Amino acid sequence: MSIVSALVLYAVIWFLVLFVVLPIRLETQGDRGEIVPGTHAGAPANLNMRRKAKLVSLIAAGLW
């Protein structure tokens, strides 16, 4: 497998894992009862992307 193929495979795995991890422990604005005007009640209230990106990178590296 060439390096480019390996990187593409890692990117595909990373995005698949990201879409699995995103809804885990997600708390919406509607759940909290603090809906910001102009947003949907299903909008995330505590989205911590930096933490999730690190977790996804570790899981994807293990699967890769």
Side-chain angles (χ1 to χ4, degrees), residues 14 18 21-22 46-58:
W14 194 89
L18 175 69
V21 169
L22 273 178
N46 65 343
L47 185 64
N48 191 353
M49 264 321 275
R50 184 169 289 142
R51 181 175 171 216
K52 288 189 180 194
K54 288 179 186 177
L55 177 64
V56 166
S57 296
L58 290 173

Side-chain angles (χ1 to χ4, degrees), residues 11-29:
V12 169
I13 292 171
W14 194 89
F15 277 103
L16 285 173
V17 173
L18 175 69
F19 290 131
V20 170
V21 169
L22 273 178
I24 296 174
R25 295 182 66 192
L26 179 68
E27 197 171 332
T28 64
Q29 292 179 7

Side-chain angles (χ1 to χ4, degrees), residues 29-30 33-41 43:
Q29 292 179 7
E34 303 168 356
I35 301 173
V36 177
T39 62
H40 191 272

